[in-house]
Every structure is written in structure tokens, then in C-alpha cells.
Amino acid sequence: MTKSPPLGLHWRSSTLFIISTVAIGLFTDLFLYGLVVPTLPFILTSRLHIPSSQTQSHVSALLAAYAGASVLFSPVAGVLADRVPSRRAPFLLGLVALLAATVLFGLGRSLWVLVLARVLQGVSAAVVWTVGLALVIDTVGTEKLGTTIGSIFSFISVGELAAPVLGGVLYKKAGDAGVFGLGGAILVIDFIMRLLVIEKKTAAGYIDDTAVEDGNTHNAGNEEDEESTPESEEAPLLGSEKDEFKVPPNQHRWVQKFPLSYCLKDPRLLTALLVAFIQATLLATFDATVPIEAQELFGFDSLKAGLLFIALDIPYLILGPIAGWAVDRYGTKPAAVIGFTYLVPVLILLRLPHRGGTSQIILYCANLALCGVGLAIIGSPSIVEASQVVQKYDKANPDFFGPNGPYAQLYGINSMFFSAGLTLGPLLSGGLNDRIGYGNMNVVVAGLALATAVLSFIYVGGKPDVLKRHRV
């Protein structure tokens, strides 16, 4: 007997609403993260009375606490999300941690309370990115993943764009109450959407027809048409290729408990995770150093420092969906190689601005905008590449990864690497900025981008023909 469907089943389980809910969840995470970035130096000095000479190290430590917690909790979130029957429950629990973090950060009057708040926020981020991205691939599969991820990242870049600006404005005009009151309002909207969303596999239990559009279980990505994806990256698993991804029987107990660990020996997957790591390192480098550099070069307060992030984020907002479409159309290798290669010179150009007036501010903003273009290009390749590789293992071993597939585990690992980059970014950039200066620090970061471009050329999307011919 068919169960009575819940009110609004069709729109609550629609692709649009599911993707929108994930997008709002990721938006909330990044919005609350970015809301305090331009205000951190001023909170530390005015509320906690930290000396200005120690501001950079404390800002870096607070940013790293968030990312470090996400590193540790991401794999746990991935394993749990693949083992529980519904992804909505852990998605809601992550929001509880984020609410607690927001309250603690708004009311905390000691450094350890602020650190605890950032840790809870990191735990929430681990859940929302792991479970959220698993929901995305459950819903659309890998065929349209690049376009979907690019569109989501473009939307959430609005949060990255608006949060530092609003954080700076509200802190200057209304103090802590204004900043964290806005955070609370965003959390309410996020909570309502997470409460309403119905997964497609849950909706399929109420109706057994095509009304649940694009219906997907974890095998949706296995059954979809793959004609438009580049043949070199997403050809059907036939013959020797299927054998290549076949998991031998009698695996170690650790592999049986955490099946994705078997896939981690694949160089394509490892490189995709490295791309996520470096991408996050770059993002965190800007978060940790732009407000400090703006204060030192131009004497900017929290408001003006927050406004600088507009120049960095607008290219991401505009180019994100286009870059995601290009990944779906042309593959992951061109985007990864071109994006990281492009970032090398524009990162070095950040050494040009110096103390001065309007002309130097314009130069700095222009350089940040050029960096934003590169960040948009590298936004999708990591997730799409990792998903495509793991999907090959899932196809070749349909019973190995369990009924929910390996995707929450994958995004847990991806989130761990991304969060590790968010941890390293502030520590590396903050330490180098103090020791060798802002310009030289960016040269070092440009070197990381160049190394990533080379590895992407060799491994992302499969080894290129030119290297195969030379047996490299």
C-alpha cells in the first residue's frame, strides 16, 4: 500500500529545490565564515585587547582553528552520511553546530571561547560540504556536475562577496549585535529549507512514477547518458578499463569499513584532492592577508577592508557557471591547467601596490580582480574529477560501496583536503607575511600554483597522449 505523501512532495523533492537547499546551506557556511573575516583584527584589539603587533598571528590561528576542525571531522561526516538512511538528518545536525558557533562568537569575551566557536563552525562546515555535495550528485549525477557545481559556487560567492562587506559595515555601524544578528537571520532561512527538503530516493517511496523528476539513488550517475562528456574522461567502462577499476576480493578490514580508501591509490584521485587543497590554500591566503595588508598600506578600517573583497569575488560570481560548463564540455584538465597557470603571474603582481592614495588602491583592486578570474576557473575541476574517478570504481564494483555509494565518503575526504588547505593557508601566508613581506609571500604561493598546474597536466583527466607516447 502506497504511503500518504507529505505535503508539497513534488516541489520539495524537485531538483531545483534540492540544489537550492544545498546552495543555501553552503552559502550560510561561507557567509558566516566571511562575515567575521574583516572584523577579526578589530574584534581582537577592541574586545579582547590583543596588542596590534600580535593581531596577524591571532587572526591566522582563529582561521586555522575553523579549518583544522573541519579536517578532522570531514571523514567522519562522510562515513556516517553513507551509512545513515537519510542525508537530511546529518544536514540538520550540522546547522545546530553552526548556531552554537555563532552564539559563542557573538558573546565570547576570551580567546578560548572564540577558538571554540571557530571549531564548532569547522565541524558544521565538514557536515554541510560533505552531505551537501553528496546530495548534489545523488540528484544530478556526474553528467551535469560541473555546471551544477559552477552555478552553486557562483551563487555562494555572493555570500563570500556580501559577507565581508556587510560584516565591515555592520561592525562599524552597529557593533557585534549587528554582525551576529544578521548571521542569526540567515541561519533561520537555512534551517527552514533543510527541514523541508525531501531526497529523491525518499520521495520515490511515496510515488512510483516519473513525477519525481530526474529520480536518483546513488546509482543515478551510473545510469545517465554520458554522450556529452569528453570520451577521454568518461567513456563507458568496457573490457580492460573495467578490470582496471575492479576491486579484488578479500580486502583488509579497514578497506571494508572505509571502502573509499581503496581508491586513494589512484593518481588521478590524489591529484584531484591536491587541487582542492591548493585551491583552499589560495582562498585562505586572501582571507588572512587582505584585511591586514589593507590596514597597513592604506589605513583601512573594517568597512573598507571588507569592500576590497568585492574586487576578488565579482569575477567568481560572473564566471563560475561558465567555468563549470566548460568543465562539463571540455573536461577537467584544461580548466585545472589553465587556471593554475594563469594564477602564477597575477599572484606575483600583488607585490606591485605600495603605500599611497587612490591610484594604489585601484591597482590593488585590479590585481585582486585578476586573481578572482583564476579562482573561478579552478572552482570546479577538483570535485568533478574526483567524482568521475570514483564513479568508475562504483560502476565496476556495484556492491562494494554499499546502498548509498561512496560519494559522501568521497566528499568527506575532499572536504578534509579542502579544510587542510584552509588550515595551511593562514599559517603559511601569515608566517611568510611576517618574515619576508607580502610581495614575497605571494611569490611563494605562485610557486605552489605552478607546481599544481604541472601535476594537473600530467594526471587530471588521465595522462595526456604526449606523455603516453614517451612513456612518462
Side-chain angles (χ1 to χ4, degrees):
M1 180 177 178
T2 303
K3 294 178 290 186
S4 177
L7 187 65
L9 174 65
H10 294 290
W11 66 264
R12 290 169 64 185
S13 63
S14 68
T15 296
L16 177 61
F17 188 72
I18 294 173
I19 299 303
S20 298
T21 300
V22 173
I24 290 294
L26 300 180
F27 174 94
T28 302
D29 174 66
L30 288 180
F31 186 86
L32 294 181
Y33 174 87
L35 193 66
V36 299
V37 166
T39 66
L40 274 177
F42 307 96
I43 288 176
L44 291 171
T45 54
S46 63
R47 193 199 300 177
L48 272 64
H49 308 294
I50 302 294
S52 299
S53 60
Q54 300 177 21
T55 300
Q56 176 69 79
S57 61
H58 282 78
V59 167
S60 297
L62 286 171
L63 293 175
Y66 162 90
S70 188
V71 168
L72 295 176
F73 199 75
S74 290
V76 178
V79 172
L80 291 177
D82 273 341
R83 292 185 177 180
V84 296
S86 170
R87 305 215 193 268
R88 189 175 70 163
F91 210 36
L92 283 169
L93 288 175
L95 197 61
V96 173
L98 187 56
L99 174 62
T102 304
V103 172
L104 287 175
F105 208 95
L107 301 178
R109 290 295 182 271
S110 64
L111 187 60
W112 75 266
V113 173
L114 298 189
V115 170
L116 177 59
R118 297 297 285 177
V119 167
L120 287 173
Q121 193 175 4
V123 170
S124 172
V127 173
V128 69
W129 284 88
T130 298
V131 180
L133 292 177
L135 263 175
V136 169
I137 199 167
D138 286 348
T139 304
V140 303
T142 60
E143 176 70 12
K144 298 179 181 179
L145 187 59
T147 302
T148 304
I149 291 297
S151 299
I152 288 175
F153 281 13
S154 178
F155 169 71
I156 65 178
S157 72
V158 175
E160 291 181 290
L161 169 67
V165 178
L166 291 174
V169 171
L170 290 173
Y171 186 77
K172 185 174 182 178
K173 301 297 183 181
D176 292 339
V179 173
F180 296 100
L182 176 61
I186 298 294
L187 280 168
V188 170
I189 297 172
D190 189 11
F191 175 77
I192 292 173
M193 293 191 71
R194 294 196 204 191
L195 197 62
L196 288 175
V197 73
I198 298 176
E199 299 169 61
K200 289 189 179 295
K201 63 182 180 182
T202 302
Y206 292 101
I207 51 178
D208 187 21
D209 55 31
T210 57
V212 183
E213 56 183 325
D214 310 321
N216 271 332
T217 63
H218 96 269
N219 290 318
N222 297 347
E223 298 169 353
E224 62 194 329
D225 176 23
E226 299 172 342
E227 291 180 1
S228 66
T229 307
E231 183 179 350
S232 62
E233 294 187 11
E234 201 58 23
L237 295 184
L238 298 174
S240 61
E241 188 181 13
K242 186 169 184 177
D243 293 338
E244 178 185 351
F245 294 97
K246 192 71 176 177
V247 178
N250 302 320
Q251 289 295 316
H252 189 274
R253 185 171 59 180
W254 167 256
V255 176
Q256 295 176 13
K257 290 184 176 180
F258 187 48
L260 188 72
S261 60
Y262 181 86
C263 307
L264 294 177
K265 65 180 183 180
D266 192 299
R268 282 183 61 184
L269 179 57
L270 290 175
T271 306
L273 295 173
L274 173 67
V275 169
F277 174 81
I278 298 299
Q279 177 191 0
T281 299
L282 292 172
L283 291 171
T285 293
F286 288 111
D287 287 340
T289 61
V290 168
I292 302 296
E293 187 69 5
Q295 191 178 29
E296 291 183 357
L297 290 186
F298 313 122
F300 279 4
D301 57 17
S302 62
L303 170 59
K304 293 179 180 178
L307 291 172
L308 283 177
F309 285 90
I310 295 177
L312 185 66
D313 289 332
I314 280 183
Y316 207 157
L317 171 64
I318 296 173
L319 297 177
I322 300 173
W325 170 84
V327 168
D328 285 338
R329 179 67 179 84
Y330 300 106
T332 50
K333 186 187 293 292
V337 174
I338 292 171
F340 281 105
T341 302
Y342 165 85
L343 280 167
V344 174
V346 298
L347 284 168
I348 294 174
L349 287 175
L350 285 171
R351 67 186 294 115
L352 295 180
H354 53 78
R355 285 183 174 86
T358 303
S359 63
Q360 292 303 310
I361 297 173
I362 292 174
L363 176 61
Y364 192 47
C365 288
N367 288 344
L368 289 176
L370 291 175
C371 291
V373 172
L375 293 176
I377 296 173
I378 66 173
S380 299
S382 170
I383 291 176
V384 176
E385 174 75 359
S387 300
Q388 289 175 351
V389 172
V390 170
Q391 185 192 48
K392 293 179 183 291
Y393 284 97
D394 194 21
K395 282 183 177 182
N397 308 273
D399 300 321
F400 180 70
F401 294 101
N404 288 328
Y407 296 104
Q409 296 174 53
L410 171 63
Y411 297 133
I413 293 294
N414 183 273
S415 178
M416 182 181 74
F417 274 77
F418 194 88
S419 299
L422 292 180
T423 305
L424 176 66
L427 299 177
L428 174 67
S429 59
L432 290 175
N433 192 18
D434 287 341
R435 288 171 175 79
I436 62 177
Y438 183 72
N440 292 328
M441 177 271 295
N442 279 298
V443 173
V444 174
V445 177
L448 292 176
L450 179 60
T452 307
V454 173
L455 290 172
S456 297
F457 176 74
I458 297 173
Y459 294 113
V460 170
K463 190 172 291 187
D465 292 338
V466 64
L467 296 184
K468 290 179 180 178
R469 288 195 296 268
H470 291 85
R471 298 176 182 271
V472 176

